[in-house]
Amino acid sequence: MMNIKDKYFKKKSILIIIFFAFALGSVALSLYTGSVKVSPGNIIKVMTGEASKLDYQIIWNIRLPRTIVAFLVGMSLAVSGAILQGIMRNPLASPNIIGVSSGAGFAGILLLIIFPAFSDLLIPFAFLGAMATTVVIYLIAWRGGADPHRLILTGVGVSAFLGAGIQSMMIFFPDRVHSVIGFMVGGLAARSWDHAFVLAPYAFAGTLLAFLSSGRLNILMMGDETARSLGLNVELTRVIFIAISSVLAAASVSIVGLLGFAGLIVPHLARIFVGPDHRYLFPVSALLGSGLIVTCDTLARMILDPVELPVGVIMAALGGPFFLYLLRRKSASSM
Amino acid sequence: MHLQCDTLSAGYGREMIINEISLTVKKGDITAIIGPNGSGKSTLLRAISGNIKNTDGKIFLNGKPVSEIRPKALARELTYMPQVLAAYPGFLVKDIVACGRFPHLGFGGRMKKEDHEKVNWAIESVGLQDYKDRTISSLSGGEFQMTRIAMAIAQETDLVILDEPTTFLDINHQLRVLGLIRKLNESMGKTILMVLHDINHASRFSHEIVVLDKGCKYTSGTPQEILTENILQNVFKINARIFTDPDHGIYCLSDSVT
């Protein structure tokens, strides 16, 4: 970005506008689609507060909060994944690597299976489980500095250990397994304004912080030694980014379940379009992530209507092949 | 006097790689460090650039202990170019060079007009103006190395430290890179400290040579003082003949291992 008139800058800005339109379009489609058809005119009436009671109930109390949760989750997971792939300098990094999924999974399933009486506390409990696991992984990986390779391997080790705990619980309490499946797959059914209000501050604060520090992540990508020689406090920067991405992912996962896949593939999709520069990668990942989750949730409600599929299933079933297609089409060097 | 190391010892974990090395890099000089593999050349540069902590000894920059200078302020005084740079292939040449401005920017990291001009100037001074919109992955090894030097130029430091800037390059690009480093020294007035593998390049392109052996400083001096049959035999374990050429100065032909 040499100056504002730069062609390159212009091209990226146009892309960001396109993705913004995509995200908004997906929200509109999500509000419009469902078992009960509400016309666009009536949807607007709901927003201005002059609709019928039924329309109001469907749009304002059911579809809108659910769509907002989907939007925030998609944004948070995508930005979280983009941060981690950057600081780890590893294309396979995702919120799973810093133990968010295994930590939230372990805590959530522990609560649902062993202490079902407290299942109201699922969200804070899963959130704390995710954050605590990130801290443990970081501390174990620390040896005069948290080397990205050591972080990744530590994450794999800790996640495997917690996975063993999850599986043991499911084997010892087979009668309670059905209550945790929804949480493990990840779904948006019955997400309300309460969920949206819990998630929103984390999602917006984390995303905003990521946008503001995108230049620092670019510096960190040059490698620790070069970053240090440019005057960046490498360890501090890395721990701040890990904290941001852990909060983003933990808040999402604790509300909708283990939807980790979005955090892995969305940044790659975004990179195919705008390249690795985080000043563009973060906004495009955020918009693409929110648009994709909202769209996948719309499909999840539509495909087998009136039966609803979990959004995690749709995301993986459609996102996986589409991702592979893009990977084959674009040269692997742009990843 | 620009950079001074006093009985510097450093290593990785408990393993010491360099022991009690003292050296002075004079302002305006090109100083080359040579030595066999494993003699601690790169470790010495890492310790000086603050990438590893020295367990003993002190480093002074213009008389001030480096440990008392804040990282961003230090990055306006010295830059260090490691052997390999892990850059994502999709970055453009101008993006990489612009990173050199980072220590001069405020907290928000916004580039001003002046910063953009300096990036352009740095790209032009290494002759990459036609490449500035190319991605790193489309560059040859030599062009990539030029890009990194342009980043160091954009950083505007008085002291430039380079770890084997000519490794992996063909002879044409080796000479181009070394010529560029000489230009940094002569026309931009920068002090240079670099590790070189090629003894003849060290002789031809530097004012002062420091010889490391087994983690200790063996000796230092002008090329004339260092390129002797005796030193080459003791440090590199080679039999060499020494010649003088009116254009090249002193150089050696290595005949065999001892």
Side-chain angles (χ1 to χ4, degrees):
Chain A
M1 191 174 74
M2 286 286 161
N3 56 56
I4 303 298
K5 292 180 201 101
D6 199 302
K7 251 206 237 141
Y8 172 77
F9 177 72
K10 233 181 189 166
K11 204 180 118 197
K12 308 268 156 152
S13 307
I14 291 170
L15 270 171
I16 290 177
I17 293 168
I18 291 173
F19 285 112
F20 190 72
F22 165 67
L24 278 186
S26 73
V27 168
L29 190 68
S30 168
L31 291 178
Y32 176 66
T33 315
S35 316
V36 180
K37 291 273 173 276
V38 180
S39 72
N42 284 347
I43 292 177
I44 292 167
K45 275 189 189 160
V46 169
M47 300 300 163
T48 54
E50 10 179 294
S52 70
K53 203 145 192 201
L54 180 67
D55 285 353
Y56 185 83
Q57 172 67 15
I58 290 171
I59 299 296
W60 190 262
N61 288 342
I62 297 176
R63 280 189 207 157
L64 187 60
R66 176 181 183 144
T67 304
I68 288 175
V69 170
F71 190 95
L72 295 175
V73 162
M75 177 174 93
S76 304
L77 286 175
V79 172
S80 171
I83 290 175
L84 290 172
Q85 285 167 13
I87 57 169
M88 308 285 185
R89 273 174 252 124
N90 188 315
L92 286 176
S94 73
N96 298 354
I97 285 296
I98 50 167
V100 167
S101 296
S102 58
F106 182 81
I109 287 159
L110 182 77
L111 191 79
L112 290 175
I113 288 188
I114 314 279
F115 308 106
F118 297 101
S119 54
D120 284 351
L121 298 174
L122 179 62
I123 291 172
F125 207 67
F127 182 79
L128 289 178
M131 296 298 294
T133 309
T134 303
V135 172
V136 167
I137 288 173
Y138 190 81
L139 291 179
I140 294 178
W142 179 273
R143 207 191 296 152
D147 170 67
H149 281 122
R150 218 162 40 226
L151 267 172
I152 290 175
L153 293 174
T154 309
V156 169
V158 170
S159 293
F161 179 74
L162 292 176
I166 294 174
Q167 280 150 12
S168 319
M169 283 189 281
M170 291 173 72
I171 283 169
F172 285 122
F173 299 91
D175 50 320
R176 295 180 191 171
V177 165
H178 72 273
S179 67
V180 305
I181 286 181
F183 182 70
M184 291 187 73
V185 178
L188 284 153
R191 291 303 175 269
S192 66
W193 280 114
D194 290 346
H195 294 110
F197 286 135
V198 168
L199 182 53
Y202 296 107
F204 284 120
T207 305
L208 188 70
L209 272 175
F211 284 6
L212 289 178
S213 26
S214 54
R216 274 155 217 272
L217 189 49
N218 283 347
I219 303 280
L220 202 57
M221 300 266 293
M222 307 285 126
D224 286 9
E225 294 194 328
T226 303
R228 221 169 263 137
S229 125
L230 288 167
L232 189 75
N233 188 334
V234 169
E235 295 303 340
L236 182 69
T237 308
R238 191 148 44 217
V239 79
I240 289 173
F241 273 119
I242 289 177
I244 296 174
S245 73
S246 179
V247 167
L248 281 171
S252 305
V253 162
S254 57
I255 285 175
V256 300
L258 310 183
L259 210 64
F261 188 54
L264 176 64
I265 68 158
V266 171
H268 282 293
L269 292 178
R271 215 172 277 122
I272 288 172
F273 292 109
V274 289
D277 187 333
H278 290 91
R279 288 168 306 178
Y280 308 109
L281 187 62
F282 281 156
V284 169
S285 293
L287 293 168
L288 196 57
S290 48
L292 270 182
I293 296 272
V294 171
T295 305
C296 285
D297 184 52
T298 307
L299 289 173
R301 287 184 283 134
M302 250 171 58
I303 289 178
L304 291 179
D305 186 40
V307 177
E308 209 180 290
L309 288 168
V311 65
V313 171
I314 300 285
M315 183 78 204
L318 294 182
F322 180 62
F323 176 61
L324 294 175
Y325 161 74
L326 283 174
L327 200 61
R328 291 282 302 178
R329 229 192 43 170
K330 276 266 181 174
S331 72
S333 71
S334 65
M335 301 306 283
Chain B
M1 179 184 62
H2 202 177
L3 176 81
Q4 192 195 340
C5 302
D6 268 352
T7 59
L8 196 62
S9 297
Y12 307 97
R14 258 172 242 143
E15 193 189 358
M16 278 298 127
I17 306 288
I18 53 171
N19 292 298
E20 300 192 353
I21 291 182
S22 296
L23 64 90
T24 307
V25 176
K26 282 205 280 297
K27 200 172 178 69
D29 263 7
I30 298 181
T31 303
I33 301 173
I34 62 170
N37 289 334
S39 56
K41 305 184 292 291
S42 296
T43 307
L44 176 60
L45 293 194
R46 280 198 195 109
I48 292 173
S49 61
N51 273 293
I52 55 171
K53 282 220 168 68
N54 46 312
T55 48
D56 213 359
K58 275 226 151 105
I59 306 160
F60 298 94
L61 192 64
N62 297 321
K64 202 173 173 195
V66 165
S67 53
E68 290 173 16
I69 307 176
R70 293 174 60 86
K72 232 173 167 174
L74 187 64
R76 292 190 288 261
E77 300 287 332
L78 74 85
T79 181
Y80 161 64
M81 201 171 110
Q83 249 183 71
V84 280
L85 170 73
Y88 255 40
F91 275 101
L92 306 182
V93 168
K94 62 183 182 188
D95 292 333
I96 299 282
V97 177
C99 287
R101 295 306 298 165
F102 180 73
H104 298 275
L105 304 178
F107 183 78
R110 264 207 110 67
M111 300 246 296
K112 296 196 189 78
K113 188 163 168 257
E114 182 201 347
D115 296 302
H116 289 300
E117 283 166 6
K118 289 203 163 126
V119 170
N120 273 331
W121 167 74
I123 291 173
E124 275 161 27
S125 60
V126 300
L128 284 180
Q129 54 275 15
D130 297 337
Y131 292 74
K132 67 181 188 184
D133 292 312
R134 297 252 305 254
T135 59
I136 291 299
S137 48
S138 71
L139 300 183
S140 73
E143 290 153 1
F144 179 53
Q145 205 66 329
M146 298 293 203
T147 307
R148 299 177 63 197
I149 293 176
M151 178 169 120
I153 293 173
Q155 202 175 335
E156 288 192 304
T157 59
D158 283 342
L159 178 59
V160 177
I161 300 174
L162 308 103
D163 194 354
E164 290 190 32
T166 56
T167 330
F168 309 125
L169 301 184
D170 62 36
I171 185 69
N172 178 292
H173 282 96
Q174 287 181 23
L175 290 176
R176 275 192 205 202
V177 164
L178 288 167
L180 193 56
I181 289 170
R182 181 178 273 167
K183 183 177 152 193
L184 294 188
N185 174 255
E186 285 176 358
S187 45
M188 301 184 195
K190 294 180 190 295
T191 308
I192 310 280
L193 173 65
M194 61 178 165
V195 164
L196 287 179
H197 249 304
D198 189 315
I199 299 166
N200 288 328
H201 283 165
S203 157
R204 195 176 153 200
F205 288 93
S206 57
H207 306 105
E208 180 89 2
I209 298 177
V210 177
V211 184
L212 296 193
D213 189 26
K214 301 187 189 79
C216 298
K217 183 166 118 178
Y218 183 83
T219 183
S220 65
T222 61
Q224 280 74 18
E225 289 163 342
I226 298 302
L227 267 77
T228 64
E229 285 168 17
N230 209 350
I231 290 176
L232 294 177
Q233 202 166 50
N234 288 340
V235 175
F236 290 94
K237 316 282 184 248
I238 55 168
N239 297 312
R241 281 175 291 157
I242 311 295
F243 301 89
T244 311
D245 178 275
D247 294 326
H248 279 240
I250 192 163
Y251 67 99
C252 70
L253 276 183
S254 16
D255 291 327
S256 60
V257 290
T258 58

